[in-house]
Amino acid sequence: MNSNLHIDLIEFKAWYQHRMEFIDNLILVAMEDEHPSQEEIAQLKRSKIILIERSARRIVEIYSKYGFYPDL
């Protein structure tokens, strides 16, 4: 594997994990509230889905940058 591709993938993984953990923690805090806001929880879950969608596009961008075209 190209070392620059490997570095980009490691950086992406760190970026993704950090954001996913942040959203998961916000969901946990919202759910532990005495009167949890279902709208807030739903919005956080939508944010998580958007993050997953953006991440998939970013992975394709990273691989495409190095001449690999993942079969989606």
Side-chain angles (χ1 to χ4, degrees):
M1 180 184 292
N2 181 316
S3 63
N4 290 331
L5 170 60
H6 190 116
I7 290 168
D8 283 350
L9 290 173
I10 291 170
E11 289 174 352
F12 167 77
K13 181 180 177 185
W15 173 88
Y16 177 81
Q17 285 178 329
H18 173 74
R19 278 151 186 82
M20 190 60 75
E21 288 173 7
F22 184 75
I23 293 172
D24 286 342
N25 287 335
L26 290 175
I27 291 171
L28 183 61
V29 168
M31 291 174 65
E32 290 178 348
D33 191 8
E34 191 172 314
H35 302 287
S37 165
Q38 295 305 313
E39 186 176 322
E40 179 183 4
I41 293 169
Q43 178 59 43
L44 289 167
K45 288 180 179 181
R46 283 191 294 274
S47 295
K48 194 171 182 175
I49 291 169
I50 290 169
L51 174 61
I52 292 167
E53 290 172 348
R54 287 182 181 165
S55 297
R57 285 193 294 269
R58 182 65 186 133
I59 290 170
V60 171
E61 289 173 6
I62 291 169
Y63 275 100
S64 297
K65 177 179 171 182
Y66 297 98
F68 300 101
Y69 299 95
D71 185 18
L72 300 175

